[in-house]
Amino acid sequence: MKRARVIGDGNLAWTLSAGLAQEGFQMGGDAGAVLALVVVLDHGRLIPMSLVEGGIAAWRERFDLTLAAARRDIEAARASLAGEGAIAVLVPVEGMTGAAGLTAYLAAVEGVRALVKSLGQAWAADGVRINCIALEAHVLHNDPNALRRVAIPLAAQLLSAGHPLSGTTLVAGGGVMAP
Amino acid sequence: MSAPAGGSLAGRVVLVTGAGQGLGRGIALACAERGAAVAVTALSEAEAAVVAGEISGEGGRALAIGCDVTDQDQVSAAVAATLDAFGRLDGLVHNANSRFSGVGATLATVTDEAWDDQIAVGLHGAVFCATAALPGLRDSGGAMVIMSSLAGLNGAAQMPAYAMVKGAQRGLMKSLAREWGPLGVRVNAVAPSGVTPALEAYMERTPGAREHLTSRSALNRLGEARGDIGAAVAFLLGPDSRFITGQTLVVDGGAVTT
């Protein structure tokens, strides 16, 4: 039996958890695979704001908190693995392209992707793989149908035992090509 | 060397953080060599003064400023002093690094102090620089360069916090390039591999390190802080790169190919 666990909460986590169950994963408990949710800001807080307009207070709220939550979730995912396993981290694809007004949030996202690359190397010897799945932010937040259609099959593949990838980002954003 | 009147940065003013030694010193010297007046900022004002003295000794114009980039007031004051001294600001290079940058630690062992300090210097410092410099850069149609790292592109198994900061700097750069493009201000990053005093010390104490690092380069040598890294940064600040923004320029002799 394939076991998996979703780190995170809210509708997004529920949708992912239900989707992975449909893909044949037994959800919950000590996991052989973990889906870590790194999308910590709700859509309402992603109102574009220029770096200068927001100042350091907005930067700290968006960058520092996003990164801290991502680190917490990734560490929780790693701790919940029973021996070897895999972690998939969902990130908005906009981090790869940049977007005006979302500087702090997307800087944190790109920091998370570099962290995942590092951990992919560092944890390989322990049999732990970690990758990112990059989706358009509106899909992550507002489009559960697209999430089921695109993200869940990809996550199911990445979280399956024996999958070779680690430290990479699979881009599943409509029309966005990996740079 | 004397600053050429017709150099690619002639008449321009550049502020470099972390310019008291290593790559920052090389960048400051390279910009001055091409005609820029340079605000040399460093945590140690004495170190900044030495580099500023080198520039003056070569016929260039320089201003030494002690500046802790984690202090927004100090960064604002450094930019203001630059504008007071030279009347304009055309380029800002955020090169300052945390003292923890070269310290190996896994995600499980990295201390909160090291994690926070690397964010404070690398990211918060960049934000303070960007915020303070924007009016001057907008007036001049200038450019900002953020010194990232190959670790930000490739990750670093033994330095995940460092890689995270360097990756985040690239993310900051990309979004800022889109944000500031309509204002006529360009933003780019450089991922360098160049010899610094810290790298020299590492190679001295680590058998085989110099050969290993050299062999990674397609050009079979290590980069020079001034002639290789500094020159590339000067290019990104100058007129010949006027249509380049939102990019990470890898300056490592071909160790990484894109």
Side-chain angles (χ1 to χ4, degrees), chain A residues 49-53 55-56 59-60 63-64 67-68 71 74-75 94-104 106-115 117-119 121-123 167 179, chain B residues 70 72 107-108 110-112 115 119 123-124 126-128 130-131 134 151-161 163-176 178-180:
Chain A
M49 180 186 299
S50 79
L51 184 70
V52 171
E53 177 191 2
I56 191 63
W59 172 272
R60 288 186 190 280
F63 179 87
D64 292 22
L67 198 64
R71 180 184 177 187
I74 289 172
E75 289 180 325
E94 285 81 356
M96 303 175 78
T97 58
L102 298 178
T103 302
L106 297 180
V109 167
E110 286 300 89
V112 169
R113 288 208 314 118
L115 181 62
K117 292 176 189 178
S118 304
L119 298 178
Q121 299 166 28
W123 292 348
Chain B
T70 67
Q72 186 167 18
L107 188 62
V110 65
T111 65
D112 288 344
W115 179 273
I119 290 174
L123 274 308
H124 296 169
V127 172
F128 295 151
T131 303
L134 178 60
L153 287 164
N154 295 338
Q158 302 305 317
M159 296 189 293
M164 177 277 295
V165 166
K166 292 303 176 181
Q169 286 182 325
R170 293 185 61 239
L172 167 64
M173 175 274 296
K174 286 185 277 191
S175 290
L176 208 52
R178 293 192 183 277
E179 199 163 298
W180 286 4

Side-chain angles (χ1 to χ4, degrees), chain A residues 32-139:
Chain A
V34 175
L35 190 61
L37 292 180
V38 176
V39 189
V40 296
L41 289 181
D42 64 59
H43 201 58
R45 293 172 66 187
L46 284 178
I47 297 169
M49 180 186 299
S50 79
L51 184 70
V52 171
E53 177 191 2
I56 191 63
W59 172 272
R60 288 186 190 280
E61 182 185 13
R62 294 178 172 213
F63 179 87
D64 292 22
L65 294 184
T66 300
L67 198 64
R71 180 184 177 187
R72 179 200 63 211
D73 285 353
I74 289 172
E75 289 180 325
R78 179 71 177 86
S80 71
L81 285 179
E84 296 183 355
I87 299 168
V89 181
L90 291 185
V91 296
V93 75
E94 285 81 356
M96 303 175 78
T97 58
L102 298 178
T103 302
Y105 177 55
L106 297 180
V109 167
E110 286 300 89
V112 169
R113 288 208 314 118
L115 181 62
V116 166
K117 292 176 189 178
S118 304
L119 298 178
Q121 299 166 28
W123 292 348
D126 300 329
V128 173
R129 297 181 297 103
I130 180 168
N131 294 286
C132 288
I133 299 172
L135 299 160
E136 291 168 287
H138 78 87
V139 170

